[in-house]
Amino acid sequence: MSIRHGLLALLERGPRYGSQLRTEFESRTGSTWPLNVGQVYTTLNRLERDGLVVQDDEDDQGHALYAITGDGRTELRNWFETPVDRSSPPRDELAIKLAMAVGAPGVDIRAVIQSQRHHTVKAMQDYTRLKAQALADVPANRDEVAWLLVLEQLIFQAEAEARWLDHCESRLVRLAEAAATEPEPEPRAPSRGPARAPAHAPARLGRPRGRA
């Protein structure tokens, strides 16, 4: 997730200070990806270094305000217009865990899958309840609409993960059944040792030599 671009999007609405940006970011995403103030100011410092934001005076309480620059708006527009790159997907802990569990001694991979499925389904149910609560009233502002979009993405992601876990378990069952029905290899005949050349065969083969 690009925190820097998220902050630029908030700054496009007007100058803001660090803790204000953190509050608005978490409100827009339903606190799905919580930030700390130090992380926000570290990102702001990098944006300022890159010429994408500038410090824009202070508010009445003495908070340093940050404003987006023209280059920052260009950067933000490019971010919105460019598809998210999927050629280098982020590391997924669950996929790595199952990949390492295959063949690991003492690990029941089906038990790992079943435990994760229980957790994933419960998370999906929790997200669905939150969605029902969000839809009980028509979303009143952009933050509520944004949170609803994030929430629905979490539901779809959990559904896809549950289906993938079902697929993993089915594949393991099929592989186990195939291994169980595979015929035992026939025993090989005992070796009689290296073959010997007939007694009448010449000890060395090659062109006959001429007489001296």
Side-chain angles (χ1 to χ4, degrees):
M1 183 195 59
S2 180
I3 297 174
R4 58 187 274 126
H5 292 105
L7 297 185
L8 285 175
L10 294 173
L11 288 173
E12 195 177 32
R13 298 167 61 184
R16 281 159 172 71
Y17 55 89
S19 58
Q20 185 180 13
L21 286 167
R22 184 196 64 173
T23 300
E24 292 188 13
F25 184 95
E26 293 184 352
S27 176
R28 186 69 65 91
T29 60
S31 298
T32 304
W33 301 285
L35 300 176
N36 59 60
V37 174
Q39 189 176 14
V40 171
Y41 277 107
T42 297
T43 305
L44 286 172
N45 289 337
R46 291 172 179 168
L47 290 171
E48 186 176 17
R49 177 200 63 193
D50 296 339
L52 304 180
V53 303
V54 293
Q55 290 196 38
D56 186 44
D57 205 359
E58 297 179 348
D59 65 2
D60 296 338
Q61 288 75 39
H63 297 120
L65 297 174
Y66 289 83
I68 191 171
T69 65
D71 288 343
R73 287 189 172 86
T74 300
E75 173 77 12
L76 184 61
R77 294 276 81 74
N78 290 337
W79 182 59
F80 282 134
E81 295 169 2
T82 304
V84 175
D85 184 17
R86 298 299 184 190
S87 60
S88 299
R91 293 181 181 90
D92 184 279
E93 183 180 356
L94 178 57
I96 294 173
K97 180 187 290 188
L98 293 189
M100 297 303 167
V102 174
V107 176
D108 184 349
I109 188 171
R110 293 186 65 184
V112 175
I113 291 173
Q114 291 170 5
S115 175
Q116 182 64 46
R117 184 192 293 111
H118 175 76
H119 177 81
T120 300
V121 170
K122 183 180 183 304
M124 183 169 57
Q125 292 170 345
D126 292 341
Y127 296 148
T128 302
R129 281 194 294 270
L130 288 174
K131 178 182 177 181
Q133 295 172 8
L135 291 176
D137 298 317
V138 178
N141 54 55
R142 70 181 75 190
D143 286 347
E144 292 182 3
V145 173
W147 163 230
L148 185 59
L149 294 178
V150 171
L151 190 56
E152 289 174 332
Q153 191 271 344
L154 294 173
I155 293 172
F156 291 142
Q157 190 176 49
E159 289 176 345
E161 184 171 283
R163 290 197 303 271
W164 178 65
L165 289 167
D166 290 341
H167 167 77
C168 290
E169 188 170 30
S170 298
R171 180 175 293 281
L172 289 171
V173 169
R174 290 195 301 271
L175 291 175
E177 291 174 348
T181 58
E182 189 173 309
E184 292 290 334
E186 296 182 2
R188 300 178 62 180
S191 176
R192 297 181 179 179
R196 295 182 178 178
H200 62 274
R204 182 175 180 182
L205 299 179
R207 294 181 61 185
R209 296 181 179 179
R211 295 183 178 178

